[in-house]
Amino acid sequence: VLRIAVVSDLHAYDEHDGDGAPSHLKITDPEDQPGQNPIAGLSSLIKKEKLKADVLLCPGDLGHKARPAAIKYAWHALQKLKSILGAGFMGVTAGNHDLDSRYQYNKFDAKGLLQSLDPPYPMENESDNDRYWSRNFLVLTRPDFNILILNSSAYHGGDADEINHGRISDATLASIERRLASLERRPINLLLCHHHPQQHMELDLGDFDVMKNGQLLLDLLGREADRWLVIHGHKHHPKLTYASGGATSPIIFSAGSLSASLYQKLAARVRNQFYVADLPIPPLGSSPLVGVIRAWDWAPGLGWEPAGTSSGLPALSGFGYRGDPAELAQRIRAALPADKSRWSEIRQGIPEVDYLLPQDFQILRKALALFDIVIQDINGLPYEIGVRL
Ligand SMILES: [Fe+2]
Ligand SMILES: [Fe+2]
């Protein structure tokens, strides 16, 4: 299993100009209070649950509105998380809030602060960073995975309108296509970027900020021999979907924000979340990419707790099984003993149920209900299944 921890959109701040605080992560708050400081809370959760991860990913927006002290704080927080998770690899990419594109702290160099961070940003290695900044993307190969780290904020600070959305240019797309053609194959392929590569506009989230050309990038990855998982941030709205396209289109994980204050309509529907994804490493070219994601919610005053049922992503969700849930319902019905069964026994016989998207799991419940079969949950997780009496 490849285990990936995801922290997105921290939006750390020292001072702010608006009415409300932009996030729960104020850099002058005490760092030893797990119920008050989301990073201290994560340290506590990781120790309590003995969480380990191979990879730590952050799809951007470290600090709010590019405030230098906040970005430095969040950057050091990521180093600390990487260390306590025991992660051998950390992938980070720039969000719109990481670049001083409105020139508040610098007259001409939007990315200057990021380039002067210590340790170096976004990678440890200077030649990797040179590639990231010069080509707006970086492809790295590790024993179990390839990762494409894309700077979807690359043109922020240029033309005035660019700060309103993400972009991948035609030249970058062509360059990525050439790079992928010579890439050593790996069973797991990850794209890390800040902006959403396809529209994501429920809850009045708007359509203006989507990554321009994002669809072409998704089409390109969907044509590859091996499967891709996209991890992006920016929307602060957790969601798992398959990209448009054919049966091999990328899986898209929109990571919710770790600690940003959520605007009212969003706050009524989702929470701040932290994630750990487990991806079984399939033999090369043998099977589709599947995985499960555990999610925790930030509960101010209490710290991190397993996600609730209406938090964005639930405490446990999956991805990668693209068959019809109604067909799984038929198989479950056939496998169900006369009265009832533990959910764990169903999982053993029909492991595909673990890899349904949350919305597909809801469809499975509806399909089972047509046979009067109900899944009973405990703490938001399926526990028992049986025929309604
Ligand atoms: Fe953000
Ligand atoms: Fe953003």
Side-chain angles (χ1 to χ4, degrees):
V1 168
L2 181 72
R3 178 168 287 179
I4 304 173
V6 178
V7 293
S8 187
D9 292 84
L10 288 74
H11 288 262
Y13 73 102
D14 49 351
E15 291 170 17
H16 62 93
D17 43 15
D19 288 341
S23 80
H24 300 285
L25 190 55
K26 186 175 187 187
I27 72 172
T28 49
D29 278 352
E31 291 186 36
D32 60 349
Q33 303 206 352
Q36 304 297 329
N37 179 316
I39 298 296
L42 276 186
S43 296
S44 164
L45 174 76
I46 290 164
K47 282 174 196 153
K48 191 176 92 192
E49 300 282 334
K50 298 188 173 61
L51 289 174
K52 290 284 163 204
D54 305 300
V55 174
L56 173 62
L57 296 180
C58 177
D61 282 358
L62 297 180
H64 193 67
K65 292 190 175 174
R67 290 192 68 87
I71 286 179
K72 285 178 197 167
Y73 178 93
W75 182 233
H76 286 113
L78 288 185
Q79 309 295 331
K80 181 177 156 191
L81 289 177
K82 178 184 183 235
S83 159
I84 56 176
L85 284 164
F89 182 92
M90 179 163 77
V92 181
T93 195
N96 50 315
H97 281 264
D98 297 321
L99 293 150
D100 185 13
S101 51
R102 289 177 168 85
Y103 301 111
Q104 299 294 301
Y105 311 103
N106 190 302
K107 285 198 174 68
F108 48 84
D109 188 1
K111 58 184 188 291
L113 177 79
L114 294 179
Q115 290 178 323
S116 67
L117 287 172
D118 181 24
Y121 173 103
M123 303 303 299
E124 292 164 355
N125 182 304
E126 195 176 359
S127 63
D128 288 341
N129 290 338
D130 289 349
R131 277 205 154 248
Y132 177 83
W133 291 116
S134 64
R135 303 210 170 222
N136 306 325
F137 76 94
L138 176 67
V139 176
L140 296 169
T141 296
R142 293 293 180 268
D144 297 321
F145 65 96
N146 287 316
I147 184 165
L148 163 56
I149 301 176
L150 174 70
N151 182 3
S152 62
S153 313
Y155 309 103
H156 289 209
D159 184 83
D161 176 58
E162 285 295 321
I163 57 176
N164 296 318
H165 54 77
R167 183 187 292 281
I168 177 168
S169 71
D170 291 342
T172 304
L173 267 173
S175 186
I176 288 174
E177 188 164 13
R178 284 195 299 274
R179 180 72 183 88
L180 295 186
S182 63
L183 190 62
E184 246 184 85
R185 289 181 66 192
R186 292 290 182 271
I188 294 172
N189 294 275
L190 308 168
L191 162 63
L192 180 70
C193 56
H194 182 64
H195 295 85
H196 43 303
Q198 69 176 23
Q199 282 295 5
H200 186 141
M201 50 196 281
E202 56 266 59
L203 302 171
D204 295 339
L205 285 168
D207 62 358
F208 60 92
D209 48 347
V210 68
M211 183 197 304
K212 308 285 180 199
N213 265 357
Q215 180 227 315
L216 300 181
L217 174 62
L218 294 173
D219 289 349
L220 170 64
L221 300 182
R223 289 196 297 269
E224 286 294 301
D226 298 304
R227 304 287 82 82
W228 284 76
L229 169 65
V230 179
I231 299 107
H232 74 77
H234 186 63
K235 280 304 205 184
H236 303 184
H237 178 249
K239 188 175 171 182
L240 274 168
T241 50
Y242 302 120
S244 62
T248 60
S249 70
I251 300 151
I252 302 187
F253 173 23
S254 168
S257 163
L258 187 83
S259 43
S261 302
L262 304 176
Y263 77 93
Q264 211 176 8
K265 197 161 185 177
L266 198 55
R269 301 292 290 274
V270 306
R271 303 275 293 274
N272 294 110
Q273 294 198 310
F274 165 66
Y275 307 99
V276 174
D278 282 347
L279 283 66
I281 302 169
L284 194 59
S286 70
S287 64
L289 188 59
V290 297
V292 295
I293 301 181
R294 281 181 286 167
W296 287 264
D297 293 343
W298 175 244
L302 298 172
W304 292 97
E305 46 187 42
T309 47
S310 54
S311 301
L313 291 195
L316 184 65
S317 56
F319 59 81
Y321 178 70
R322 304 194 197 205
D324 191 332
E327 190 263 335
L328 281 188
Q330 301 265 14
R331 285 169 56 195
I332 290 172
R333 183 194 191 193
L336 198 63
D339 47 357
K340 57 187 179 182
S341 164
R342 289 282 170 87
W343 184 246
S344 54
E345 291 164 22
I346 298 293
R347 290 178 56 223
Q348 270 182 6
I350 308 174
E352 293 94 328
V353 294
D354 282 348
Y355 306 124
L356 286 166
L357 298 179
Q359 56 270 42
D360 288 341
F361 203 89
Q362 293 308 319
I363 295 171
L364 175 69
R365 285 181 194 263
K366 280 188 195 167
L368 287 167
L370 295 176
F371 306 127
D372 277 335
I373 297 172
V374 180
I375 301 173
Q376 304 281 1
D377 297 342
I378 291 186
N379 296 328
L381 298 175
Y383 176 73
E384 207 167 64
I385 179 168
V387 178
R388 201 195 322 254
L389 296 175

